[in-house]
Structure formats: structure tokens, C-alpha cells
Amino acid sequence: MTTHSPAPAQAARRAQLAQALAATGQPGVAIIPTALEVARNRDSTFPFRHDSYFFYLTGFAEPNAWLVIESSGRSTLFCQPKDLEREIWDGYRLGPDAAPGALGVDAAHSVETLDARMPDLLANQAVVWFPFATHAGLAARVEAWLQQVRNRARQGVLCPTAQRDVCALLDEMRLIKQDDEIATMRRAAAISAEAHVRAMQTSARLLRAGVDAREYHLEAELLHGFRQHGAQFPAYTSIVAAGANACVLHYRADTAALRAGELVLIDAGCELDGYASDITRTFPADGRFTGPQRDLYDLVLASQHAAVAATRAGARFNDPHDAVLRVLAQGLLDLGLLDRSKVGDAEAVVAERAYFRFYMHRTSHWLGMDVHDCGSYVEPGEASEATPERDPLTGQSVLRRPSRILRPGMMLTIEPGLYVRPADDVPEAFWNLGIRIEDDALVTANGCELITRGVPVEADAIEALMRD
Ligand code: GLY
Ligand code: MN
Ligand code: MN
């Protein structure tokens, strides 16, 4: 990612947001800061990662910057001023003089003038919009600016009378990916898929060579694969889980040994130019599934196939999850992980959530700039249709609302799994197996397109890949 990117897509998004502000019927102004730089320890910061909303509207990746959009359509950027000495230490700054030309904003000023200029931008507006509950201290800062506007009341200046969450508008925009976003996500997915292939092949090679092979050796392959193709970061902390570690859902790559006869679960994806990818593959460390591993793997894969078939425009967000549950429930009975005489048939397994001890997460989440991307999971027009239901496991009453209707351009993961901990009532052959298969799906008019299949998913194809 360069310091800034060409601006047309971002300019169109700013115009779209301004229209949404205006459509409320009241003049308003939206204030969107980027992320803060965070200290790691003395003189050292965590790698800076811009705020996703800010980057969506600007393509600008420098820290210490703010965007202001008025319902009139006017946009103002506040950014770090040029400063030769700071640039010698910290690197190039775009600066306010160059920002309108580079980013297409109408005006740009030094961020050092933010407090002085913001009351002018808020004066005579009816609504101030900003991201709620995402930036510590932002609400207090807005209040201080409003106080200054109010101090001018006797001069006839009007002060905003309402504060609203700009995320409500931006989340809906971000949910439907535009062509430039889809193109970037395809590239991110391809890079991550290739890195997974590399990690699988490395695992087989290390075990064939009989050398000490650890989880972190595979993590190193992933990071190499991401960075070699220009991805800036992993999109989240990579999970490389050998053997029983795969049953820890939020495990990360550590020092455990890769052992022949055991599985390895890798959940890792790169972030490229601000967009995430999110892939999980589970494979035998030495490249050959054992019988029970293969049985469980094929069950998870069958459930993923069912979920993929259920993912299309017009379907509901919950449909792929429901499809997974039906397949897993039947398979858990057939493989003897659930006892039919105790839990009944597959329908009862789903209804009573008896599968939950083996499958305790959901099948999908939105994917985009954030790995767990923004966007409501409830269909907006049906949010008031809440039905109380009793959760069979906890006995608590939960409100169920109609889930989101899928539309072309939405991007979601499809990631069923099974995690089997040792237990007296579970066949020992399955103990400590943890399997997840995760792909990234672009919703299309007639179905979905899996953009992560540069890494194979069928057990035979994985074995072939690890033989070569
Ligand atoms: N890697 C995070 C997730 O799969 O949700
Ligand atoms: Mn995921
Ligand atoms: Mn994942």
C-alpha cells in the first residue's frame, strides 16, 4: 500500500455518504478519524493500521488524520503537516497542500488546526455524525467542539441538536463490495491460498526429512508467502495448530511439534491494501489421512459443500449454517459420535443443539476490510419481527430475528468444523481431532464464487499436493 491510492472509488463513496446524510432531510456533518498509533513499549509502536472507515473513504494510510464530510458534498481532510525533520525520522508525509490533488478532497488542513477549525465546520448544521464506540474519547471531543459552537449562539449561529452513528450508514455501504474492492479481495485470497499450499508442502517435506518440525515453521512459510506478494500484514493472528491444539478455537502458532499421524489446522489469511482474506485448511502433517481422520474430514467437507450450495442471492445469511447443521448432525450419528438412543434423529440433534459440543461456532461472518467485517446480520426491513425462542442448552429465552437476505457483492466466509475432545461417550479414534475448512465466498446472482480455492480442499487433492 502506498501512502495514498488513486481516488475515484473513494471520491464516489464520499459522495454516496454525503447523499445519505442529506437524505435524512437535515443538514449534517460526518467526522471520521483514522486509528491512533499505539505504543508497544518505550519508543516502539505497534505497526500502524489505519481505521477501516477512514480508509474506505480516503485511501489514505497515514496516521493522525481526520475526514469531515458535509451533507452538501464538501469534504475536508486534516492530515499531518509537512515537516522535514519528522519526515527524516518517520518517513514521507503527503501534507495538506498535496492532499486535494492526490485524494480528491475539496480542502485539506494541518491536523494541528483541527480543534480551531472544527467549530466552523459544525456551525449551522443540524446533525453531527461520527463513529460511535470505536474511538476512545471521540464523543468527549465532539462535545467540546459543540460547546464552542454553542458559545456563538448569541451571534445567531445554530448548533447541531442531534448526534448520530455514522457507522449505521457506512456499514451498509461496506456490506456490498464494489468492483475495486472485489478485485483486491481476489488478489488477497490468491496470495493466502498460495501461502497455504506452501505451508502444507513444507509440512510434508520436513516430516519426510525427519527434522524437528514445529508449528512456527509453518507460520514462517505463511508470513513469507504473504509478504513476498506485497500483502502488508496477516489479517489476524495466524492459527497453526498441531494435533490436539486444533480443538482450541483461538489457538495461535506456537512451538508444538508436527507429528506423522496427526492433523494440522491452519487458519491464516493476509491483508492486502486494506482487505482481509480468511482461509482454514486441515491436513495430515505427513500428507496421509488416517481412516478416522478421513471420515471426519469428509463429513466437514460434505457440510461445507451443502453450505456453498445454499449461498446465493435471495437466500438468508443463516441458510448456509442451517445446511451445515443438517449434514453434521446426520454424520455425527452415523460415525457414532452421538448416540441415537440418547439424542434421537438428525432433526432432534439440530433442534436440541446436541451437535454443539463438537461444533460451537457459527458457519459464516462477513468479510471485507475487517476480517469480521461490519454489516448487520439482521434484514433491516424485518428487524422488528422478533420471535422469542428457548435455547435448549441454556434454557434461556433468546430473540430470533429474520437473518439478512444475501445480495450480489456480499462477501462471507463458509467455515464449518468439528472439534472432538476426549470423552468416555465418544469413540477414542476421534479424540483430539479438530477440523475446520474455511473459504471466502462472493455472493452472485445465481450462487456464490469461492475466491480461495487456489488451495485444494478435497482430501485426495491435499494428499496429492503434499506428495509432490
Ligand atoms: N480467522 C478468524 C475466523 O475464521 O473467523
Ligand atoms: Mn473466518
Ligand atoms: Mn479463519
Side-chain angles (χ1 to χ4, degrees), residues 9-153:
Q10 289 79 3
R13 287 173 202 142
R14 289 194 296 271
Q16 195 183 340
L17 177 61
Q19 278 167 14
L21 300 181
T24 63
Q26 291 187 297
V29 58
I31 302 168
I32 298 140
T34 196
L36 284 179
E37 282 192 288
V38 182
R40 185 169 190 273
N41 52 36
R42 193 188 314 250
D43 292 345
S44 174
T45 54
F46 284 103
F48 176 71
R49 201 307 190 148
H50 53 258
D51 174 82
S52 295
Y53 295 111
F54 177 87
F55 189 75
Y56 181 70
L57 295 166
T58 60
F60 187 52
E62 282 187 30
N64 205 3
W66 297 64
L67 177 69
V68 178
I69 295 183
E70 297 163 62
S71 51
S72 64
R74 186 176 166 76
S75 58
T76 306
L77 181 82
F78 291 88
C79 62
Q80 300 178 116
K82 295 296 282 182
D83 179 331
L84 183 58
E85 195 193 333
R86 283 317 327 158
E87 290 183 59
I88 287 171
W89 286 91
D90 300 332
Y92 172 80
R93 292 177 175 187
L94 180 62
D97 291 345
L103 304 174
V105 291
D106 295 306
H109 305 289
S110 164
V111 70
E112 290 162 3
T113 69
L114 182 72
D115 284 326
R117 289 180 184 272
M118 200 57 92
D120 286 343
L121 288 162
L122 289 167
N124 301 311
Q125 304 278 5
V127 185
V128 55
W129 300 77
F130 58 93
F132 284 12
T134 50
H135 301 264
L138 178 58
R141 196 119 185 236
V142 171
E143 301 242 323
W145 293 327
L146 291 176
Q147 187 62 48
Q148 293 201 33
V149 182
R150 208 176 280 143
N151 290 345
R152 300 182 194 169

Side-chain angles (χ1 to χ4, degrees), residues 235-239 249-250 267-269 277-280 361-362 364-365 367 371-372 413 415 436 438:
Y236 51 92
T237 306
S238 304
I239 296 172
L249 295 181
H250 288 165
D267 182 347
S277 53
D278 186 5
I279 303 180
T280 307
H361 60 78
R362 294 190 61 87
S364 302
H365 55 80
L367 182 73
V371 64
H372 289 184
T413 63
E415 48 177 308
R436 178 163 65 255
E438 174 173 31

Side-chain angles (χ1 to χ4, degrees), residues 212 214-221 240 253-256 258:
D212 186 33
R214 306 284 175 147
E215 293 166 337
Y216 58 75
H217 289 130
L218 303 192
E219 184 189 26
E221 296 299 320
V240 181
D254 205 344
T255 57
L258 314 180

Side-chain angles (χ1 to χ4, degrees), residues 87 174 258 262 318 326 340 366 382 407 424 432 452 466:
E87 290 183 59
R174 282 175 55 185
L258 314 180
E262 291 191 344
N318 279 350
R326 284 191 292 272
R340 209 176 299 264
W366 305 130
E382 300 172 343
R407 289 171 50 196
D424 288 343
N432 293 318
T452 38
M466 295 181 72

Side-chain angles (χ1 to χ4, degrees), residues 309-324:
T311 303
R312 80 184 82 84
R316 297 270 177 177
F317 176 81
N318 279 350
D319 289 349
H321 184 59
D322 291 340
V324 161

Side-chain angles (χ1 to χ4, degrees), residues 251-289:
Y251 189 78
R252 47 171 307 171
D254 205 344
T255 57
L258 314 180
R259 292 201 173 84
E262 291 191 344
L263 295 176
V264 181
L265 181 154
I266 294 185
D267 182 347
C270 69
E271 178 176 308
L272 177 73
D273 296 347
Y275 286 83
S277 53
D278 186 5
I279 303 180
T280 307
R281 289 292 182 268
T282 310
F283 56 90
D286 61 351
R288 275 195 312 274
F289 285 93

